[in-house]
Amino acid sequence: DVKVTQSSRYLVKRTGEKVFLECVQDMDHENMFWYRQDPGLGLRLIYFSYDVKMKEKGDIPEGYSVSREKKERFSLILESASTNQTSMYLCASSFYRAAPGLFGSGNEQYFGPGTRLTVT
Amino acid sequence: DAKTTQPTSMDCAEGRAANLPCNHSTISGNEYVYWYRQIHSQGPQYIIHGLKNNETNEMASLIITEDRKSSTLILPHATLRDTAVYYCIASNTGGFKTIFGAGTRLFVKA
């Protein structure tokens, strides 16, 4: 079974603090993702990575950065936490099954349990 | 990714089949249909995916119409633990820009 783990289930931080959220997957997946989920807004993609040291912005990257130094680990960094970053953060990974330029089958994502971050 | 439309909520009696519809009338030929669910306070869970043919696994069955403009996820014998939000997604982007909409909130009642 695919296992995606996140460093904390619940986290409380103060405004202005630097926050690190860690995600680890054990299935040798190429792709990793960070989402945030807020009531009424659904899941929104923050950043994704398709290879070590590679990253791409998602829909809402402002205020966040990411790091992928090893294939199994993808970190989300809040440089200076703000109250509007209070949210549920979800990490996911997927196996890149198609040849470059071709997409589709088997690119299902596997999610971690989530980290509920509160910034006060 | 093609836009998908799902009912906001549905009820199902425990032990009965739950049939969750999804409309994806603008789906393109190389887009797959994926289904996920999210139980309260947990991360989404992948259920099943398909392109043209009907698919079945240990969790559910996926029926895709011949014109591929709609699909139905079937949970054959719903249990209380199947109460969750179910997301239908049409995608060919390798998951890089997967869009999770509002989904269908399924309530399974005893």
Side-chain angles (χ1 to χ4, degrees), chain A residues 34-79:
Chain A
W34 275 106
Y35 294 86
R36 63 177 282 177
Q37 185 173 30
D38 302 287
L41 296 176
L43 276 83
R44 293 180 290 168
L45 182 64
I46 305 172
Y47 267 97
F48 65 93
S49 168
Y50 52 90
D51 202 351
V52 175
K53 298 194 185 293
M54 306 303 290
K55 59 186 178 186
E56 292 286 341
K57 292 180 181 179
D59 299 316
I60 51 163
E62 296 77 21
Y64 303 94
S65 62
V66 290
S67 172
R68 192 154 180 215
E69 296 296 319
K70 293 185 177 181
K71 191 175 186 180
E72 68 271 17
R73 188 179 297 269
F74 192 34
S75 303
L76 180 70
I77 303 150
L78 286 66
E79 295 290 342

mmCIF file of all heavy atoms in Angstrom, chain A residues 34-79:
data_model
loop_
_atom_site.group_PDB
_atom_site.id
_atom_site.type_symbol
_atom_site.label_atom_id
_atom_site.label_comp_id
_atom_site.label_asym_id
_atom_site.label_seq_id
_atom_site.Cartn_x
_atom_site.Cartn_y
_atom_site.Cartn_z
ATOM 1 N N TRP A 34 1.485 19.762 -2.941
ATOM 2 C CA TRP A 34 0.959 20.373 -1.722
ATOM 3 C C TRP A 34 -0.310 21.141 -2.066
ATOM 4 O O TRP A 34 -0.332 21.956 -2.995
ATOM 5 C CB TRP A 34 1.957 21.341 -1.084
ATOM 6 C CG TRP A 34 2.940 20.678 -0.182
ATOM 7 C CD1 TRP A 34 4.249 20.432 -0.418
ATOM 8 C CD2 TRP A 34 2.680 20.171 1.138
ATOM 9 N NE1 TRP A 34 4.824 19.810 0.655
ATOM 10 C CE2 TRP A 34 3.885 19.631 1.638
ATOM 11 C CE3 TRP A 34 1.541 20.127 1.953
ATOM 12 C CZ2 TRP A 34 3.999 19.055 2.896
ATOM 13 C CZ3 TRP A 34 1.644 19.543 3.204
ATOM 14 C CH2 TRP A 34 2.868 19.016 3.659
ATOM 15 N N TYR A 35 -1.374 20.842 -1.304
ATOM 16 C CA TYR A 35 -2.655 21.529 -1.431
ATOM 17 C C TYR A 35 -2.995 22.158 -0.072
ATOM 18 O O TYR A 35 -2.541 21.714 0.968
ATOM 19 C CB TYR A 35 -3.785 20.543 -1.728
ATOM 20 C CG TYR A 35 -3.740 19.829 -3.047
ATOM 21 C CD1 TYR A 35 -3.017 18.648 -3.203
ATOM 22 C CD2 TYR A 35 -4.461 20.304 -4.144
ATOM 23 C CE1 TYR A 35 -3.000 17.973 -4.415
ATOM 24 C CE2 TYR A 35 -4.458 19.631 -5.359
ATOM 25 C CZ TYR A 35 -3.724 18.465 -5.477
ATOM 26 O OH TYR A 35 -3.720 17.791 -6.679
ATOM 27 N N ARG A 36 -3.892 23.140 -0.125
ATOM 28 C CA ARG A 36 -4.562 23.563 1.086
ATOM 29 C C ARG A 36 -6.063 23.434 0.854
ATOM 30 O O ARG A 36 -6.545 23.543 -0.283
ATOM 31 C CB ARG A 36 -4.189 24.980 1.523
ATOM 32 C CG ARG A 36 -4.549 26.088 0.603
ATOM 33 C CD ARG A 36 -4.173 27.465 1.203
ATOM 34 N NE ARG A 36 -5.116 27.913 2.207
ATOM 35 C CZ ARG A 36 -4.988 29.041 2.905
ATOM 36 N NH1 ARG A 36 -3.938 29.827 2.692
ATOM 37 N NH2 ARG A 36 -5.883 29.389 3.805
ATOM 38 N N GLN A 37 -6.771 23.163 1.948
ATOM 39 C CA GLN A 37 -8.217 22.973 1.843
ATOM 40 C C GLN A 37 -8.905 23.860 2.855
ATOM 41 O O GLN A 37 -8.628 23.786 4.049
ATOM 42 C CB GLN A 37 -8.587 21.506 2.083
ATOM 43 C CG GLN A 37 -10.064 21.219 1.870
ATOM 44 C CD GLN A 37 -10.369 19.740 1.943
ATOM 45 O OE1 GLN A 37 -9.711 18.984 2.636
ATOM 46 N NE2 GLN A 37 -11.377 19.310 1.182
ATOM 47 N N ASP A 38 -9.821 24.670 2.362
ATOM 48 C CA ASP A 38 -10.572 25.596 3.207
ATOM 49 C C ASP A 38 -12.055 25.423 2.929
ATOM 50 O O ASP A 38 -12.454 25.165 1.787
ATOM 51 C CB ASP A 38 -10.151 27.043 2.906
ATOM 52 C CG ASP A 38 -8.661 27.257 3.117
ATOM 53 O OD1 ASP A 38 -8.255 27.291 4.280
ATOM 54 O OD2 ASP A 38 -7.914 27.356 2.122
ATOM 55 N N PRO A 39 -12.887 25.600 3.951
ATOM 56 C CA PRO A 39 -14.343 25.446 3.769
ATOM 57 C C PRO A 39 -14.864 26.340 2.646
ATOM 58 O O PRO A 39 -14.549 27.525 2.593
ATOM 59 C CB PRO A 39 -14.899 25.880 5.132
ATOM 60 C CG PRO A 39 -13.789 25.644 6.083
ATOM 61 C CD PRO A 39 -12.528 25.925 5.335
ATOM 62 N N GLY A 40 -15.623 25.743 1.751
ATOM 63 C CA GLY A 40 -16.217 26.513 0.662
ATOM 64 C C GLY A 40 -15.296 26.762 -0.513
ATOM 65 O O GLY A 40 -15.745 27.219 -1.573
ATOM 66 N N LEU A 41 -14.010 26.474 -0.344
ATOM 67 C CA LEU A 41 -13.046 26.730 -1.431
ATOM 68 C C LEU A 41 -12.463 25.442 -2.006
ATOM 69 O O LEU A 41 -11.736 25.475 -2.995
ATOM 70 C CB LEU A 41 -11.916 27.630 -0.941
ATOM 71 C CG LEU A 41 -12.317 29.037 -0.517
ATOM 72 C CD1 LEU A 41 -11.119 29.798 0.046
ATOM 73 C CD2 LEU A 41 -12.922 29.804 -1.693
ATOM 74 N N GLY A 42 -12.714 24.319 -1.361
ATOM 75 C CA GLY A 42 -12.210 23.046 -1.868
ATOM 76 C C GLY A 42 -10.698 22.931 -1.725
ATOM 77 O O GLY A 42 -10.070 23.649 -0.942
ATOM 78 N N LEU A 43 -10.125 22.023 -2.491
ATOM 79 C CA LEU A 43 -8.672 21.836 -2.489
ATOM 80 C C LEU A 43 -8.054 22.755 -3.534
ATOM 81 O O LEU A 43 -8.497 22.789 -4.678
ATOM 82 C CB LEU A 43 -8.308 20.389 -2.844
ATOM 83 C CG LEU A 43 -8.317 19.366 -1.731
ATOM 84 C CD1 LEU A 43 -9.717 18.847 -1.493
ATOM 85 C CD2 LEU A 43 -7.391 18.218 -2.069
ATOM 86 N N ARG A 44 -7.012 23.440 -3.126
ATOM 87 C CA ARG A 44 -6.303 24.325 -4.060
ATOM 88 C C ARG A 44 -4.828 23.960 -4.065
ATOM 89 O O ARG A 44 -4.226 23.798 -3.020
ATOM 90 C CB ARG A 44 -6.502 25.788 -3.656
ATOM 91 C CG ARG A 44 -7.932 26.278 -3.817
ATOM 92 C CD ARG A 44 -8.070 27.729 -3.409
ATOM 93 N NE ARG A 44 -7.918 27.896 -1.982
ATOM 94 C CZ ARG A 44 -7.761 29.076 -1.376
ATOM 95 N NH1 ARG A 44 -7.726 30.185 -2.086
ATOM 96 N NH2 ARG A 44 -7.649 29.142 -0.068
ATOM 97 N N LEU A 45 -4.272 23.849 -5.265
ATOM 98 C CA LEU A 45 -2.892 23.414 -5.426
ATOM 99 C C LEU A 45 -1.932 24.568 -5.154
ATOM 100 O O LEU A 45 -2.038 25.635 -5.763
ATOM 101 C CB LEU A 45 -2.688 22.870 -6.843
ATOM 102 C CG LEU A 45 -1.318 22.322 -7.181
ATOM 103 C CD1 LEU A 45 -0.991 21.100 -6.331
ATOM 104 C CD2 LEU A 45 -1.257 21.962 -8.661
ATOM 105 N N ILE A 46 -0.976 24.341 -4.266
ATOM 106 C CA ILE A 46 -0.001 25.374 -3.912
ATOM 107 C C ILE A 46 1.253 25.223 -4.778
ATOM 108 O O ILE A 46 1.669 26.150 -5.463
ATOM 109 C CB ILE A 46 0.389 25.287 -2.425
ATOM 110 C CG1 ILE A 46 -0.850 25.357 -1.528
ATOM 111 C CG2 ILE A 46 1.364 26.403 -2.061
ATOM 112 C CD1 ILE A 46 -0.564 25.074 -0.055
ATOM 113 N N TYR A 47 1.858 24.060 -4.722
ATOM 114 C CA TYR A 47 3.055 23.749 -5.507
ATOM 115 C C TYR A 47 3.039 22.271 -5.839
ATOM 116 O O TYR A 47 2.425 21.465 -5.138
ATOM 117 C CB TYR A 47 4.329 24.024 -4.680
ATOM 118 C CG TYR A 47 4.947 25.374 -4.846
ATOM 119 C CD1 TYR A 47 4.677 26.385 -3.925
ATOM 120 C CD2 TYR A 47 5.821 25.644 -5.897
ATOM 121 C CE1 TYR A 47 5.261 27.641 -4.064
ATOM 122 C CE2 TYR A 47 6.405 26.893 -6.036
ATOM 123 C CZ TYR A 47 6.111 27.889 -5.114
ATOM 124 O OH TYR A 47 6.691 29.132 -5.234
ATOM 125 N N PHE A 48 3.748 21.908 -6.901
ATOM 126 C CA PHE A 48 4.005 20.500 -7.155
ATOM 127 C C PHE A 48 5.429 20.323 -7.667
ATOM 128 O O PHE A 48 6.094 21.284 -8.071
ATOM 129 C CB PHE A 48 2.968 19.900 -8.110
ATOM 130 C CG PHE A 48 2.999 20.460 -9.500
ATOM 131 C CD1 PHE A 48 3.749 19.858 -10.497
ATOM 132 C CD2 PHE A 48 2.219 21.565 -9.838
ATOM 133 C CE1 PHE A 48 3.753 20.356 -11.782
ATOM 134 C CE2 PHE A 48 2.216 22.077 -11.131
ATOM 135 C CZ PHE A 48 2.985 21.464 -12.100
ATOM 136 N N SER A 49 5.870 19.079 -7.612
ATOM 137 C CA SER A 49 7.229 18.736 -8.034
ATOM 138 C C SER A 49 7.173 17.437 -8.822
ATOM 139 O O SER A 49 6.528 16.485 -8.396
ATOM 140 C CB SER A 49 8.120 18.556 -6.802
ATOM 141 O OG SER A 49 9.356 17.970 -7.162
ATOM 142 N N TYR A 50 7.830 17.404 -9.958
ATOM 143 C CA TYR A 50 7.820 16.207 -10.778
ATOM 144 C C TYR A 50 9.167 15.492 -10.774
ATOM 145 O O TYR A 50 9.357 14.497 -11.471
ATOM 146 C CB TYR A 50 7.381 16.521 -12.215
ATOM 147 C CG TYR A 50 8.165 17.642 -12.856
ATOM 148 C CD1 TYR A 50 9.319 17.393 -13.566
ATOM 149 C CD2 TYR A 50 7.731 18.960 -12.739
ATOM 150 C CE1 TYR A 50 10.037 18.418 -14.146
ATOM 151 C CE2 TYR A 50 8.442 20.001 -13.311
ATOM 152 C CZ TYR A 50 9.594 19.725 -14.014
ATOM 153 O OH TYR A 50 10.300 20.749 -14.580
ATOM 154 N N ASP A 51 10.106 16.023 -10.001
ATOM 155 C CA ASP A 51 11.409 15.368 -9.893
ATOM 156 C C ASP A 51 12.187 16.047 -8.765
ATOM 157 O O ASP A 51 11.845 17.165 -8.339
ATOM 158 C CB ASP A 51 12.179 15.494 -11.212
ATOM 159 C CG ASP A 51 13.266 14.439 -11.371
ATOM 160 O OD1 ASP A 51 13.546 13.699 -10.381
ATOM 161 O OD2 ASP A 51 13.830 14.327 -12.467
ATOM 162 N N VAL A 52 13.239 15.397 -8.345
ATOM 163 C CA VAL A 52 14.080 15.986 -7.301
ATOM 164 C C VAL A 52 14.580 17.346 -7.773
ATOM 165 O O VAL A 52 14.996 17.510 -8.915
ATOM 166 C CB VAL A 52 15.261 15.059 -6.977
ATOM 167 C CG1 VAL A 52 16.209 15.723 -5.991
ATOM 168 C CG2 VAL A 52 14.771 13.738 -6.426
ATOM 169 N N LYS A 53 14.509 18.314 -6.876
ATOM 170 C CA LYS A 53 14.961 19.685 -7.108
ATOM 171 C C LYS A 53 14.124 20.436 -8.149
ATOM 172 O O LYS A 53 14.420 21.589 -8.463
ATOM 173 C CB LYS A 53 16.445 19.750 -7.490
ATOM 174 C CG LYS A 53 17.376 19.224 -6.414
ATOM 175 C CD LYS A 53 18.808 19.599 -6.682
ATOM 176 C CE LYS A 53 19.755 18.960 -5.678
ATOM 177 N NZ LYS A 53 19.565 19.477 -4.325
ATOM 178 N N MET A 54 13.094 19.817 -8.669
ATOM 179 C CA MET A 54 12.206 20.491 -9.626
ATOM 180 C C MET A 54 10.921 20.878 -8.912
ATOM 181 O O MET A 54 10.392 20.113 -8.100
ATOM 182 C CB MET A 54 11.888 19.573 -10.805
ATOM 183 C CG MET A 54 13.103 19.016 -11.508
ATOM 184 S SD MET A 54 14.222 20.284 -12.111
ATOM 185 C CE MET A 54 13.270 20.979 -13.445
ATOM 186 N N LYS A 55 10.409 22.059 -9.222
ATOM 187 C CA LYS A 55 9.167 22.504 -8.623
ATOM 188 C C LYS A 55 8.429 23.401 -9.598
ATOM 189 O O LYS A 55 9.038 24.069 -10.434
ATOM 190 C CB LYS A 55 9.428 23.245 -7.318
ATOM 191 C CG LYS A 55 10.306 24.471 -7.487
ATOM 192 C CD LYS A 55 10.661 25.101 -6.158
ATOM 193 C CE LYS A 55 11.577 26.305 -6.369
ATOM 194 N NZ LYS A 55 12.069 26.888 -5.108
ATOM 195 N N GLU A 56 7.117 23.397 -9.464
ATOM 196 C CA GLU A 56 6.276 24.248 -10.292
ATOM 197 C C GLU A 56 5.219 24.888 -9.402
ATOM 198 O O GLU A 56 4.688 24.226 -8.502
ATOM 199 C CB GLU A 56 5.576 23.439 -11.383
ATOM 200 C CG GLU A 56 6.491 22.882 -12.460
ATOM 201 C CD GLU A 56 6.985 23.940 -13.414
ATOM 202 O OE1 GLU A 56 6.360 25.013 -13.483
ATOM 203 O OE2 GLU A 56 8.002 23.696 -14.092
ATOM 204 N N LYS A 57 4.886 26.127 -9.689
ATOM 205 C CA LYS A 57 3.840 26.796 -8.927
ATOM 206 C C LYS A 57 2.489 26.230 -9.312
ATOM 207 O O LYS A 57 2.228 25.913 -10.473
ATOM 208 C CB LYS A 57 3.860 28.300 -9.230
ATOM 209 C CG LYS A 57 5.094 28.997 -8.701
ATOM 210 C CD LYS A 57 5.064 30.475 -9.032
ATOM 211 C CE LYS A 57 6.320 31.159 -8.506
ATOM 212 N NZ LYS A 57 6.341 32.608 -8.845
ATOM 213 N N GLY A 58 1.639 26.127 -8.300
ATOM 214 C CA GLY A 58 0.257 25.775 -8.542
ATOM 215 C C GLY A 58 -0.586 27.030 -8.662
ATOM 216 O O GLY A 58 -0.132 28.041 -9.189
ATOM 217 N N ASP A 59 -1.793 26.965 -8.133
ATOM 218 C CA ASP A 59 -2.716 28.089 -8.288
ATOM 219 C C ASP A 59 -2.529 29.186 -7.241
ATOM 220 O O ASP A 59 -2.855 30.333 -7.484
ATOM 221 C CB ASP A 59 -4.154 27.566 -8.218
ATOM 222 C CG ASP A 59 -4.437 26.571 -9.328
ATOM 223 O OD1 ASP A 59 -4.034 26.848 -10.473
ATOM 224 O OD2 ASP A 59 -5.035 25.514 -9.048
ATOM 225 N N ILE A 60 -2.001 28.827 -6.080
ATOM 226 C CA ILE A 60 -1.887 29.820 -4.994
ATOM 227 C C ILE A 60 -0.524 29.735 -4.311
ATOM 228 O O ILE A 60 -0.420 29.461 -3.126
ATOM 229 C CB ILE A 60 -3.019 29.636 -3.953
ATOM 230 C CG1 ILE A 60 -3.113 28.173 -3.481
ATOM 231 C CG2 ILE A 60 -4.361 30.084 -4.518
ATOM 232 C CD1 ILE A 60 -3.896 28.009 -2.205
ATOM 233 N N PRO A 61 0.578 30.014 -5.017
ATOM 234 C CA PRO A 61 1.907 29.848 -4.416
ATOM 235 C C PRO A 61 2.365 30.999 -3.514
ATOM 236 O O PRO A 61 3.336 30.849 -2.782
ATOM 237 C CB PRO A 61 2.801 29.773 -5.656
ATOM 238 C CG PRO A 61 2.088 30.630 -6.661
ATOM 239 C CD PRO A 61 0.613 30.411 -6.409
ATOM 240 N N GLU A 62 1.645 32.114 -3.538
ATOM 241 C CA GLU A 62 2.115 33.296 -2.810
ATOM 242 C C GLU A 62 2.193 33.016 -1.318
ATOM 243 O O GLU A 62 1.250 32.534 -0.705
ATOM 244 C CB GLU A 62 1.167 34.480 -3.069
ATOM 245 C CG GLU A 62 1.106 34.962 -4.508
ATOM 246 C CD GLU A 62 0.266 34.054 -5.397
ATOM 247 O OE1 GLU A 62 -0.585 33.304 -4.856
ATOM 248 O OE2 GLU A 62 0.447 34.089 -6.618
ATOM 249 N N GLY A 63 3.342 33.364 -0.736
ATOM 250 C CA GLY A 63 3.532 33.178 0.701
ATOM 251 C C GLY A 63 4.111 31.816 1.063
ATOM 252 O O GLY A 63 4.348 31.550 2.247
ATOM 253 N N TYR A 64 4.334 30.984 0.048
ATOM 254 C CA TYR A 64 4.849 29.632 0.272
ATOM 255 C C TYR A 64 6.089 29.384 -0.578
ATOM 256 O O TYR A 64 6.265 29.995 -1.630
ATOM 257 C CB TYR A 64 3.801 28.581 -0.107
ATOM 258 C CG TYR A 64 2.490 28.696 0.599
ATOM 259 C CD1 TYR A 64 1.431 29.398 0.017
ATOM 260 C CD2 TYR A 64 2.278 28.099 1.838
ATOM 261 C CE1 TYR A 64 0.206 29.516 0.655
ATOM 262 C CE2 TYR A 64 1.059 28.200 2.482
ATOM 263 C CZ TYR A 64 0.033 28.912 1.880
ATOM 264 O OH TYR A 64 -1.176 29.009 2.526
ATOM 265 N N SER A 65 6.922 28.463 -0.121
ATOM 266 C CA SER A 65 7.987 27.923 -0.951
ATOM 267 C C SER A 65 8.063 26.427 -0.668
ATOM 268 O O SER A 65 7.443 25.936 0.282
ATOM 269 C CB SER A 65 9.320 28.610 -0.673
ATOM 270 O OG SER A 65 9.713 28.401 0.672
ATOM 271 N N VAL A 66 8.805 25.714 -1.491
ATOM 272 C CA VAL A 66 8.910 24.265 -1.322
ATOM 273 C C VAL A 66 10.358 23.844 -1.526
ATOM 274 O O VAL A 66 11.179 24.572 -2.070
ATOM 275 C CB VAL A 66 8.003 23.491 -2.303
ATOM 276 C CG1 VAL A 66 6.532 23.664 -1.969
ATOM 277 C CG2 VAL A 66 8.298 23.889 -3.744
ATOM 278 N N SER A 67 10.621 22.639 -1.067
ATOM 279 C CA SER A 67 11.950 22.060 -1.225
ATOM 280 C C SER A 67 11.807 20.571 -1.478
ATOM 281 O O SER A 67 11.054 19.888 -0.775
ATOM 282 C CB SER A 67 12.764 22.302 0.045
ATOM 283 O OG SER A 67 13.989 21.602 -0.004
ATOM 284 N N ARG A 68 12.530 20.079 -2.464
ATOM 285 C CA ARG A 68 12.556 18.639 -2.720
ATOM 286 C C ARG A 68 14.007 18.243 -2.995
ATOM 287 O O ARG A 68 14.460 18.232 -4.123
ATOM 288 C CB ARG A 68 11.667 18.270 -3.893
ATOM 289 C CG ARG A 68 11.477 16.744 -3.966
ATOM 290 C CD ARG A 68 10.232 16.367 -4.631
ATOM 291 N NE ARG A 68 10.065 14.936 -4.685
ATOM 292 C CZ ARG A 68 9.493 14.331 -5.711
ATOM 293 N NH1 ARG A 68 9.054 15.020 -6.745
ATOM 294 N NH2 ARG A 68 9.341 13.019 -5.682
ATOM 295 N N GLU A 69 14.697 17.897 -1.931
ATOM 296 C CA GLU A 69 16.101 17.501 -2.014
ATOM 297 C C GLU A 69 16.246 15.997 -2.239
ATOM 298 O O GLU A 69 17.246 15.538 -2.779
ATOM 299 C CB GLU A 69 16.840 17.911 -0.740
ATOM 300 C CG GLU A 69 16.899 19.419 -0.535
ATOM 301 C CD GLU A 69 17.683 20.111 -1.611
ATOM 302 O OE1 GLU A 69 18.741 19.588 -2.035
ATOM 303 O OE2 GLU A 69 17.237 21.183 -2.081
ATOM 304 N N LYS A 70 15.261 15.236 -1.791
ATOM 305 C CA LYS A 70 15.255 13.788 -1.987
ATOM 306 C C LYS A 70 13.925 13.395 -2.598
ATOM 307 O O LYS A 70 12.903 14.053 -2.380
ATOM 308 C CB LYS A 70 15.450 13.057 -0.660
ATOM 309 C CG LYS A 70 16.817 13.251 -0.051
ATOM 310 C CD LYS A 70 16.974 12.392 1.193
ATOM 311 C CE LYS A 70 18.367 12.532 1.761
ATOM 312 N NZ LYS A 70 18.563 11.699 2.961
ATOM 313 N N LYS A 71 13.929 12.310 -3.353
ATOM 314 C CA LYS A 71 12.733 11.906 -4.088
ATOM 315 C C LYS A 71 11.550 11.666 -3.157
ATOM 316 O O LYS A 71 10.412 11.960 -3.496
ATOM 317 C CB LYS A 71 13.030 10.633 -4.884
ATOM 318 C CG LYS A 71 11.955 10.250 -5.883
ATOM 319 C CD LYS A 71 12.410 9.064 -6.698
ATOM 320 C CE LYS A 71 11.405 8.756 -7.797
ATOM 321 N NZ LYS A 71 11.830 7.597 -8.606
ATOM 322 N N GLU A 72 11.793 11.119 -1.990
ATOM 323 C CA GLU A 72 10.688 10.727 -1.131
ATOM 324 C C GLU A 72 10.148 11.855 -0.256
ATOM 325 O O GLU A 72 9.136 11.678 0.408
ATOM 326 C CB GLU A 72 11.114 9.556 -0.232
ATOM 327 C CG GLU A 72 12.159 9.894 0.817
ATOM 328 C CD GLU A 72 13.584 9.729 0.306
ATOM 329 O OE1 GLU A 72 13.779 9.671 -0.932
ATOM 330 O OE2 GLU A 72 14.492 9.647 1.152
ATOM 331 N N ARG A 73 10.807 12.992 -0.249
ATOM 332 C CA ARG A 73 10.447 14.039 0.703
ATOM 333 C C ARG A 73 10.165 15.363 0.002
ATOM 334 O O ARG A 73 10.940 15.816 -0.824
ATOM 335 C CB ARG A 73 11.598 14.227 1.708
ATOM 336 C CG ARG A 73 11.303 15.139 2.863
ATOM 337 C CD ARG A 73 12.529 15.206 3.786
ATOM 338 N NE ARG A 73 12.830 13.899 4.359
ATOM 339 C CZ ARG A 73 12.357 13.460 5.511
ATOM 340 N NH1 ARG A 73 11.546 14.227 6.231
ATOM 341 N NH2 ARG A 73 12.683 12.278 5.959
ATOM 342 N N PHE A 74 9.037 15.972 0.379
ATOM 343 C CA PHE A 74 8.632 17.250 -0.212
ATOM 344 C C PHE A 74 8.196 18.160 0.930
ATOM 345 O O PHE A 74 7.265 17.823 1.671
ATOM 346 C CB PHE A 74 7.486 17.005 -1.198
ATOM 347 C CG PHE A 74 7.145 18.158 -2.097
ATOM 348 C CD1 PHE A 74 8.115 19.030 -2.566
ATOM 349 C CD2 PHE A 74 5.834 18.359 -2.520
ATOM 350 C CE1 PHE A 74 7.801 20.063 -3.428
ATOM 351 C CE2 PHE A 74 5.506 19.396 -3.391
ATOM 352 C CZ PHE A 74 6.492 20.244 -3.837
ATOM 353 N N SER A 75 8.892 19.267 1.086
ATOM 354 C CA SER A 75 8.622 20.161 2.217
ATOM 355 C C SER A 75 7.924 21.435 1.753
ATOM 356 O O SER A 75 8.269 21.995 0.706
ATOM 357 C CB SER A 75 9.937 20.538 2.918
ATOM 358 O OG SER A 75 10.620 19.383 3.340
ATOM 359 N N LEU A 76 6.972 21.866 2.532
ATOM 360 C CA LEU A 76 6.290 23.147 2.297
ATOM 361 C C LEU A 76 6.747 24.123 3.369
ATOM 362 O O LEU A 76 6.757 23.772 4.550
ATOM 363 C CB LEU A 76 4.776 22.972 2.359
ATOM 364 C CG LEU A 76 3.937 24.229 2.134
ATOM 365 C CD1 LEU A 76 4.027 24.671 0.678
ATOM 366 C CD2 LEU A 76 2.472 23.981 2.504
ATOM 367 N N ILE A 77 7.145 25.309 2.946
ATOM 368 C CA ILE A 77 7.684 26.302 3.871
ATOM 369 C C ILE A 77 6.837 27.565 3.824
ATOM 370 O O ILE A 77 6.557 28.096 2.749
ATOM 371 C CB ILE A 77 9.145 26.637 3.508
ATOM 372 C CG1 ILE A 77 9.982 25.352 3.507
ATOM 373 C CG2 ILE A 77 9.729 27.663 4.487
ATOM 374 C CD1 ILE A 77 11.133 25.373 2.558
ATOM 375 N N LEU A 78 6.419 27.996 4.997
ATOM 376 C CA LEU A 78 5.755 29.282 5.128
ATOM 377 C C LEU A 78 6.805 30.226 5.700
ATOM 378 O O LEU A 78 7.204 30.093 6.868
ATOM 379 C CB LEU A 78 4.552 29.192 6.071
ATOM 380 C CG LEU A 78 3.292 28.488 5.557
ATOM 381 C CD1 LEU A 78 3.516 27.001 5.322
ATOM 382 C CD2 LEU A 78 2.144 28.715 6.524
ATOM 383 N N GLU A 79 7.302 31.123 4.873
ATOM 384 C CA GLU A 79 8.439 31.961 5.263
ATOM 385 C C GLU A 79 8.108 32.840 6.469
ATOM 386 O O GLU A 79 8.930 33.028 7.352
ATOM 387 C CB GLU A 79 8.867 32.828 4.082
ATOM 388 C CG GLU A 79 9.413 32.033 2.893
ATOM 389 C CD GLU A 79 10.765 31.392 3.185
ATOM 390 O OE1 GLU A 79 11.448 31.820 4.150
ATOM 391 O OE2 GLU A 79 11.161 30.458 2.462
#
